[in-house]
Amino acid sequence: MQLRTHDRIRLRRRPGFTLMEVLVAISIFALIGVASYRVLNSVLQTDQRVAVRSEQMRAVNRAFWLLQQDVEQLLRRNVRDAGGVIAGSENYLRVQNDSEIPLQFTRGGRANPLGLPRSAMQRVAYAVGRHPDYEKSDSPHYHEERNYLLRYTWPMLDGAGDKAQAQIQVVLPDVDGMTVGVLSEEGTHERWPVANSTDDRPLALQLDFEFADGSRLQRSYKIW
């Protein structure tokens, strides 16, 4: 049976997509996919930067909390050198920004959970330098071009100050500089004790930190 003419025309006009329509649709979907990828990638990068920054801020806060705990326990107890002599004037607090260890002081409240026969006081110091494992060839910090905020402690009060005998704690990475100031009634001093001064009572410590990314941060801690 032969199809009539209008049936053949209807069959030729069945609904469908032309090649041009298919190409346009594929192009639109491709553009949407590229745009979605860029948005997602941007969100992931932002989230990663925020996570890194948050961890940095947590590390900074932990370091400042440790500093605060030490300074709040500062005691007016001078230390003697290896010969049993108190060098110069009172040295319970010593600030020398031109020294390898710019900040040293005596603190109390040293924990002793085992009840060992030792003092509750401790000599503490802070400085900026290389990681303690800088010279160890099997360490990931070997000759690492990175500076840290370091905390030094000594097992004994008298004779403290020798870095070779100190226990070193890495407090904060990527610290390139630290400047210490002592606030007294006479003003701010970058060296303590102050020579030829009758003002022998520090009121607060002011610490300025410079980080590897060029940012700076200042913290002040009241004494007593």
Side-chain angles (χ1 to χ4, degrees):
M1 185 174 101
Q2 294 184 348
L3 294 175
R4 289 174 294 182
T5 303
H6 66 276
D7 291 330
R8 290 197 297 269
I9 295 174
R10 188 165 58 245
L11 288 175
R12 287 198 299 269
R13 293 179 178 177
R14 284 185 302 178
F17 296 102
T18 65
L19 177 60
M20 183 59 68
E21 290 172 335
V22 172
L23 292 176
V24 170
I26 292 175
S27 300
I28 292 174
F29 280 118
L31 290 174
I32 293 174
V34 171
S36 300
Y37 169 77
R38 289 182 176 177
V39 171
L40 179 60
N41 187 53
S42 177
V43 170
L44 291 176
Q45 289 181 351
T46 301
D47 184 68
Q48 185 178 13
R49 287 194 295 267
V50 170
V52 171
R53 189 60 178 172
S54 297
E55 179 56 33
Q56 290 174 340
M57 291 307 300
R58 283 193 292 268
V60 169
N61 288 333
R62 286 194 297 267
F64 289 158
W65 178 85
L66 181 60
L67 270 164
Q68 180 178 347
Q69 296 299 306
D70 283 339
V71 175
E72 287 181 349
Q73 298 285 344
L74 190 147
L75 294 177
R76 198 159 187 160
R77 201 290 198 180
N78 298 313
V79 297
R80 301 178 184 274
D81 60 19
V85 178
I86 297 177
S89 57
E90 291 190 328
N91 61 13
Y92 67 91
L93 171 62
R94 173 164 291 181
V95 174
Q96 296 174 317
N97 284 295
D98 56 350
S99 173
E100 191 175 9
I101 301 181
L103 174 61
Q104 295 186 50
F105 57 92
T106 304
R107 62 154 290 175
R110 183 185 183 188
N112 190 8
L114 299 179
L116 300 175
R118 70 185 188 192
S119 173
M121 295 180 289
Q122 188 176 37
R123 193 68 173 178
V124 178
Y126 283 89
V128 172
R130 299 301 191 189
H131 195 278
D133 296 337
Y134 180 76
E135 295 292 347
K136 296 182 179 180
S137 58
D138 59 344
S139 169
H141 303 287
Y142 178 67
H143 285 188
E144 177 186 41
E145 294 299 322
R146 192 182 190 187
N147 289 320
Y148 295 81
L149 176 63
L150 305 174
R151 179 179 184 261
Y152 297 84
T153 57
W154 287 266
M156 303 295 291
L157 278 173
D158 294 323
D162 184 1
K163 288 177 61 177
Q165 298 179 357
Q167 295 179 346
I168 306 176
Q169 176 184 356
V170 177
V171 179
L172 188 64
D174 299 317
V175 180
D176 280 353
M178 177 182 72
T179 303
V180 185
V182 180
L183 279 65
S184 72
E185 292 183 354
E186 293 182 351
T188 303
H189 313 275
E190 292 191 356
R191 192 175 184 89
W192 191 271
V194 181
N196 303 321
S197 174
T198 58
D199 187 358
D200 63 347
R201 182 175 177 81
L203 301 178
L205 281 181
Q206 180 177 290
L207 291 92
D208 290 276
F209 296 95
E210 181 179 353
F211 296 93
D213 60 2
S215 61
R216 306 182 70 91
L217 202 56
Q218 182 184 93
R219 282 292 185 274
S220 296
Y221 301 98
K222 184 179 179 180
I223 298 176
W224 301 314

